[in-house]
Amino acid sequence: MVHGEAWTLKELFTYPNEYIYWSIQIVMYPFMTGLVAGAFVLSSLYHVFGIKKLKDMARFSLVFSFALLFVAPMPLLFHLQQPLRGLYVFMTPHFTSAIAAFGIVFSTYGAIVASELWFVYRRHFVEAALPLKEKSGKSPVEWFTYLVFCALTLGVYDVSEKSLEKDEKAVKVLAAAGIPVALFLHGYAGFIFGSVKANALWMTPLMPVIFIMSAIVSGIALCMFTYIVAMELRKLFSASRRRAAFRALPADHSPAHQGRSLQGAEPGVIQITSRYLLLFLVAAISLELLDLIFRGYTAVKSWDVLRSVIYGKDFISIFILQYGLGNLVPLILFLMPGLTVRRALLGTLLVLFGVFMMRWNVVIGGQAFSLTFAGYMHYHLPIIPHDYETFKEGLAGALTVGLMPFPLFWVMSKIFPVFDSGGRHE
C-alpha cells in the first residue's frame, strides 16, 4: 500500500499518485517546535528585559523549554519510513537544504539552553553535591545523587559573590543570544512550508512570521497551563499531607506547630503573563487575517480552488474551530476584567487548541486540493490503529508525542528545581 493511501479519500479529478502524504505527525512537528521557542521567549522576558514579576515563571518555562526540546524532533522520526535517517540531519548539517539546516539551528539552540540552565542552577548543583561529599556511609541513592550533581558542577565549586555575578551576566548574554535562535528554530518550519512553490496555500512570504508569532503564543500558553496545574497539584498534596499529619498528632497538640501549606498558582503571576500572551495573540491573529485578505485581494490563478477549500470544505476547521473557538473566545476571556486562575486555565487550553488547529489547517488544508485544481483529497485521521503505520500516523501517535514532554519535565524538575530556591537567579 502506498504511504497515505490508508487515510486519503479522493473527490473529483486528482492525479493517481496524489495522497495526503504529510499526516498528523507533520502537524505535531511545527506545533512542538513552536512550544519550544515560545517557552524560551517567555523565560527571556525576565532574564533579558528584567521583568521581575515573571521571575517564577521564567525558571519554570526555561526548564520546560529544555524538556520540550528533546521531544521536538520526535514527530519527524515517527513520520520517517526509515527513522535512522533522521540522524543524518545532525551528522551532516548544511545550508543547502532547509531541513538539513535544522541540524545546525537545533544543535545551537540546544547548546544555548543547556548552558543557560547550567549557569542558572550551578549554585544549586554545588549546594547539593558538597553535603553529600562530606557525608559518610552514603546509601546507594545518595551515592547516585552525589555522582549526578558532582558531574553537573563540571568541577566548578566556587559560589562566591563575584563568581555568582559572573553567572548572572552569562545568563543574560545567553538568554539574549537564544531569542533570535529560538525564533529562527521555528521560523525555519514556516520557511519550509512558505518556500514550496507547488503549493498555493503554503507559498507566502508571511508564513515564517505567522509561524513565529503563533509559536510564542502557544509556548506562553503551555507554560501558563502547566504552571497552574502544577501549582494547584502541589497545593492539593500539601493540604493532604497536613491533614494526615494533624490526625497523627496528640489530641492536645496545637495545629499551629505544623508548617504552612503551599499556595496555589499566584494570580499576580498569571495576570502579568496573560498580558504578554494577549499581546502576541493579537499580533498572531492580525498576521493570519492579513495573509487571508492578501490572498483574496491578489486573487491569483489558484485562488478559486483555495477559496473553495477555505470558505467551503474547511470552513468549520478554519473559521469555527481555529478563529472562533481557538482565537476569539480566549481573546474575550483574557480581555474581560478580573482574570481568575480558572478562567486563565480555560483560556490557555483554548489558545493551545487554536494554534494546533492553525497547524492542522496549514498542513492538512494545504494538501486538501489536487494539483489539477479540479479535485480534492480528505484526510481521515486513524483513531483506532490496526498496524504500526496507522498507530504512528494516527491519534495514538499524536497523543504519544503530545504527552511525552510532561514526564520528561517531571524528571528534569528533580535536577533543576522549578519551585524551590535554586540560586540567585530565581
Side-chain angles (χ1 to χ4, degrees), residues 35-40 43 58-73 106-118 121 125 152 223 404-405 408-409 411-413 415-416 418:
L35 296 176
V36 175
F40 184 82
S43 74
R59 190 170 48 181
F60 186 92
S61 55
L62 180 63
V63 178
F64 206 2
S65 175
F66 195 54
L68 288 164
L69 189 65
F70 289 94
V71 185
F106 185 86
S107 304
T108 306
Y109 178 73
I112 289 175
V113 177
S115 302
E116 186 177 342
L117 270 175
W118 186 79
Y121 286 96
F125 298 152
L152 287 173
C223 287
M404 204 177 291
L408 199 56
F409 173 67
V411 172
M412 286 188 177
S413 67
I415 301 173
F416 310 104
V418 294

Side-chain angles (χ1 to χ4, degrees), residues 20 37 55 58 97 102 113 168 183 199 241 249-250 257 271 283 291 293 299 301 303 322 365 371 376 393:
I20 303 286
K55 65 178 182 181
S97 162
F102 171 77
V113 177
E168 284 186 352
L183 297 182
N199 193 298
R241 284 195 294 269
L249 289 174
H257 289 83
Q271 286 172 1
D291 177 61
I293 294 170
K301 182 181 177 182
W303 175 242
Q322 179 187 334
L371 293 180
Y376 303 95
E393 303 285 1

Side-chain angles (χ1 to χ4, degrees), residues 365-388:
Q367 303 170 87
F369 54 91
S370 168
L371 293 180
T372 63
F373 291 166
Y376 303 95
M377 292 178 290
H378 306 283
Y379 174 60
H380 280 238
L381 175 69
I383 303 295
I384 301 175
H386 51 78
D387 55 21
Y388 180 62

Side-chain angles (χ1 to χ4, degrees), residues 39-334:
F40 184 82
V41 169
L42 179 59
S43 74
S44 299
L45 289 177
Y46 167 69
H47 291 301
V48 178
F49 303 106
I51 302 174
K52 301 294 183 185
K53 292 182 178 179
L54 288 176
K55 65 178 182 181
D56 291 335
M57 188 65 80
R59 190 170 48 181
F60 186 92
S61 55
L62 180 63
V63 178
F64 206 2
S65 175
F66 195 54
L68 288 164
L69 189 65
F70 289 94
V71 185
M74 295 306 294
L76 287 183
L77 296 180
F78 268 118
H79 183 70
L80 288 173
Q81 299 296 307
Q82 297 290 336
L84 290 178
R85 292 183 181 175
L87 297 176
Y88 294 169
V89 171
F90 301 100
M91 296 171 65
T92 59
H94 55 86
F95 286 108
T96 57
S97 162
I99 195 69
F102 171 77
I104 299 173
V105 179
F106 185 86
S107 304
T108 306
Y109 178 73
I112 289 175
V113 177
S115 302
E116 186 177 342
L117 270 175
W118 186 79
F119 281 111
V120 169
Y121 286 96
R122 191 179 69 81
R123 180 178 180 180
H124 168 70
F125 298 152
V126 174
E127 291 177 345
L130 285 181
L132 289 172
K133 183 180 181 181
E134 298 169 357
K135 184 178 180 181
S136 58
K138 290 187 274 291
S139 68
V141 174
E142 289 173 333
W143 265 112
F144 177 76
T145 307
Y146 166 68
L147 291 174
V148 168
F149 283 107
C150 191
L152 287 173
T153 61
L154 301 180
V156 182
Y157 290 91
D158 184 5
V159 288
S160 62
E161 280 297 318
K162 187 177 179 181
S163 176
L164 293 177
E165 285 176 4
K166 290 181 180 177
D167 287 357
E168 284 186 352
K169 291 178 182 176
V171 168
K172 194 167 185 176
V173 170
L174 288 167
I179 292 176
V181 179
L183 297 182
F184 194 78
L185 175 69
H186 192 66
Y188 109 94
F191 173 81
I192 289 177
F193 287 100
S195 60
V196 179
K197 299 176 184 176
N199 193 298
L201 184 65
W202 296 342
M203 181 60 187
T204 168
L206 280 178
M207 193 64 80
V209 186
I210 293 173
F211 266 58
I212 288 173
M213 206 54 66
S214 58
I216 298 174
V217 170
S218 63
I220 296 177
L222 181 65
C223 287
M224 285 180 65
F225 174 79
T226 313
Y227 172 78
I228 293 172
V229 172
M231 292 297 287
E232 293 302 319
L233 285 176
R234 292 180 76 232
K235 176 185 173 184
L236 189 66
F237 290 144
S238 171
S240 176
R241 284 195 294 269
R242 289 187 79 240
R243 283 196 296 271
F246 178 72
R247 286 193 294 268
L249 289 174
D252 58 344
H253 198 287
S254 170
H257 289 83
Q258 301 173 62
R260 294 176 55 191
S261 62
L262 296 174
Q263 299 298 315
E266 290 287 340
V269 175
I270 298 302
Q271 286 172 1
I272 189 69
T273 312
S274 67
R275 290 177 191 170
Y276 291 97
L277 173 63
L278 196 59
L279 177 68
F280 288 112
L281 181 62
V282 170
I285 295 173
S286 302
L287 282 171
E288 290 178 36
L289 292 178
L290 179 64
D291 177 61
L292 194 61
I293 294 170
F294 179 78
R295 290 173 187 277
Y297 183 77
T298 54
V300 295
K301 182 181 177 182
S302 58
W303 175 242
D304 287 339
V305 69
L306 280 182
R307 184 173 55 190
S308 67
V309 171
I310 294 172
Y311 295 105
K313 297 183 178 300
D314 287 351
F315 180 85
I316 292 178
S317 64
I318 294 176
F319 291 98
I320 304 298
L321 297 180
Q322 179 187 334
Y323 289 131
L325 194 59
N327 289 344
L328 183 60
V329 174
L331 195 65
I332 295 172
L333 288 175
F334 284 114

